[in-house]
Tab-separated table of all heavy atoms in Angstrom:
chain	number	residue	atom	x	y	z
A	298	PRO	N	107.676	91.484	118.338
A	298	PRO	CA	106.961	90.443	119.090
A	298	PRO	C	105.443	90.667	119.054
A	298	PRO	O	104.978	91.786	118.822
A	298	PRO	CB	107.500	90.617	120.518
A	298	PRO	CG	108.838	91.267	120.347
A	298	PRO	CD	108.691	92.155	119.145
A	299	HIS	N	104.699	89.624	119.280
A	299	HIS	CA	103.239	89.635	119.390
A	299	HIS	C	102.552	90.032	118.082
A	299	HIS	O	101.439	90.563	118.098
A	299	HIS	CB	102.780	90.544	120.539
A	299	HIS	CG	103.467	90.241	121.830
A	299	HIS	ND1	103.166	89.129	122.590
A	299	HIS	CD2	104.471	90.890	122.481
A	299	HIS	CE1	103.947	89.114	123.660
A	299	HIS	NE2	104.743	90.165	123.613
A	300	GLY	N	103.212	89.804	116.935
A	300	GLY	CA	102.600	90.064	115.646
A	300	GLY	C	102.574	91.516	115.205
A	300	GLY	O	101.978	91.847	114.187
A	301	VAL	N	103.216	92.399	115.940
A	301	VAL	CA	103.249	93.815	115.581
A	301	VAL	C	104.224	94.013	114.421
A	301	VAL	O	105.287	93.404	114.384
A	301	VAL	CB	103.672	94.681	116.791
A	301	VAL	CG1	103.901	96.126	116.389
A	301	VAL	CG2	102.632	94.575	117.893
A	302	VAL	N	103.841	94.865	113.482
A	302	VAL	CA	104.693	95.194	112.346
A	302	VAL	C	104.835	96.714	112.286
A	302	VAL	O	103.831	97.432	112.320
A	302	VAL	CB	104.093	94.666	111.021
A	302	VAL	CG1	104.953	95.067	109.838
A	302	VAL	CG2	103.912	93.156	111.082
A	303	LEU	N	106.075	97.189	112.216
A	303	LEU	CA	106.331	98.624	112.096
A	303	LEU	C	106.984	98.905	110.752
A	303	LEU	O	107.800	98.129	110.268
A	303	LEU	CB	107.279	99.118	113.190
A	303	LEU	CG	106.860	98.981	114.647
A	303	LEU	CD1	107.896	99.632	115.546
A	303	LEU	CD2	105.496	99.578	114.889
A	304	THR	N	106.642	100.036	110.169
A	304	THR	CA	107.359	100.562	109.019
A	304	THR	C	108.180	101.718	109.558
A	304	THR	O	107.624	102.684	110.098
A	304	THR	CB	106.389	101.045	107.921
A	304	THR	OG1	105.570	99.946	107.548
A	304	THR	CG2	107.152	101.556	106.711
A	305	MET	N	109.502	101.581	109.465
A	305	MET	CA	110.392	102.552	110.097
A	305	MET	C	111.740	102.587	109.398
A	305	MET	O	112.047	101.730	108.591
A	305	MET	CB	110.587	102.221	111.580
A	305	MET	CG	111.324	100.910	111.841
A	305	MET	SD	111.605	100.569	113.592
A	305	MET	CE	112.857	101.766	114.010
A	306	ARG	N	112.517	103.574	109.737
A	306	ARG	CA	113.895	103.680	109.275
A	306	ARG	C	114.787	103.792	110.505
A	306	ARG	O	114.322	104.148	111.594
A	306	ARG	CB	114.071	104.904	108.379
A	306	ARG	CG	113.876	106.220	109.120
A	306	ARG	CD	114.184	107.421	108.244
A	306	ARG	NE	113.818	108.652	108.897
A	306	ARG	CZ	114.573	109.292	109.791
A	306	ARG	NH1	115.741	108.798	110.153
A	306	ARG	NH2	114.165	110.422	110.327
A	307	PRO	N	116.073	103.496	110.360
A	307	PRO	CA	116.988	103.696	111.488
A	307	PRO	C	117.265	105.193	111.679
A	307	PRO	O	117.097	105.990	110.759
A	307	PRO	CB	118.256	102.954	111.078
A	307	PRO	CG	118.175	102.796	109.608
A	307	PRO	CD	116.726	102.853	109.230
A	308	ALA	N	117.683	105.550	112.865
A	308	ALA	CA	117.970	106.943	113.197
A	308	ALA	C	119.309	107.370	112.628
A	308	ALA	O	120.252	106.583	112.569
A	308	ALA	CB	117.979	107.121	114.714
A	309	ASN	N	119.391	108.627	112.234
A	309	ASN	CA	120.681	109.199	111.906
A	309	ASN	C	121.137	110.042	113.103
A	309	ASN	O	120.399	110.178	114.087
A	309	ASN	CB	120.626	110.009	110.603
A	309	ASN	CG	119.651	111.167	110.673
A	309	ASN	OD1	119.549	111.872	111.676
A	309	ASN	ND2	118.903	111.369	109.602
A	310	SER	N	122.319	110.578	113.037
A	310	SER	CA	122.856	111.294	114.199
A	310	SER	C	122.030	112.531	114.545
A	310	SER	O	121.903	112.886	115.725
A	310	SER	CB	124.317	111.680	113.973
A	310	SER	OG	124.430	112.511	112.836
A	311	ILE	N	121.424	113.169	113.563
A	311	ILE	CA	120.593	114.341	113.839
A	311	ILE	C	119.335	113.930	114.605
A	311	ILE	O	118.948	114.589	115.570
A	311	ILE	CB	120.227	115.076	112.532
A	311	ILE	CG1	121.498	115.650	111.913
A	311	ILE	CG2	119.191	116.162	112.782
A	311	ILE	CD1	121.323	116.176	110.514
A	312	ASP	N	118.711	112.809	114.196
A	312	ASP	CA	117.542	112.303	114.914
A	312	ASP	C	117.878	112.055	116.378
A	312	ASP	O	117.127	112.437	117.278
A	312	ASP	CB	117.053	110.979	114.303
A	312	ASP	CG	116.559	111.097	112.877
A	312	ASP	OD1	115.954	112.124	112.533
A	312	ASP	OD2	116.783	110.126	112.116
A	313	VAL	N	119.003	111.389	116.595
A	313	VAL	CA	119.403	111.033	117.957
A	313	VAL	C	119.706	112.283	118.768
A	313	VAL	O	119.257	112.416	119.914
A	313	VAL	CB	120.611	110.068	117.942
A	313	VAL	CG1	121.138	109.830	119.350
A	313	VAL	CG2	120.217	108.742	117.300
A	314	ASP	N	120.438	113.224	118.189
A	314	ASP	CA	120.752	114.472	118.897
A	314	ASP	C	119.482	115.216	119.299
A	314	ASP	O	119.369	115.702	120.429
A	314	ASP	CB	121.629	115.387	118.043
A	314	ASP	CG	123.059	114.889	117.904
A	314	ASP	OD1	123.454	113.982	118.665
A	314	ASP	OD2	123.772	115.406	117.018
A	315	GLN	N	118.536	115.301	118.379
A	315	GLN	CA	117.282	115.992	118.684
A	315	GLN	C	116.504	115.277	119.783
A	315	GLN	O	115.969	115.919	120.688
A	315	GLN	CB	116.421	116.118	117.428
A	315	GLN	CG	116.952	117.107	116.428
A	315	GLN	CD	116.149	117.117	115.136
A	315	GLN	OE1	115.402	116.183	114.827
A	315	GLN	NE2	116.308	118.184	114.369
Side-chain angles (χ1 to χ4, degrees):
H299 308 286
V301 172
V302 177
L303 299 184
T304 302
M305 66 178 288
R306 66 175 172 83
N309 60 41
S310 60
I311 294 170
D312 296 324
V313 173
D314 288 346
Q315 288 175 342

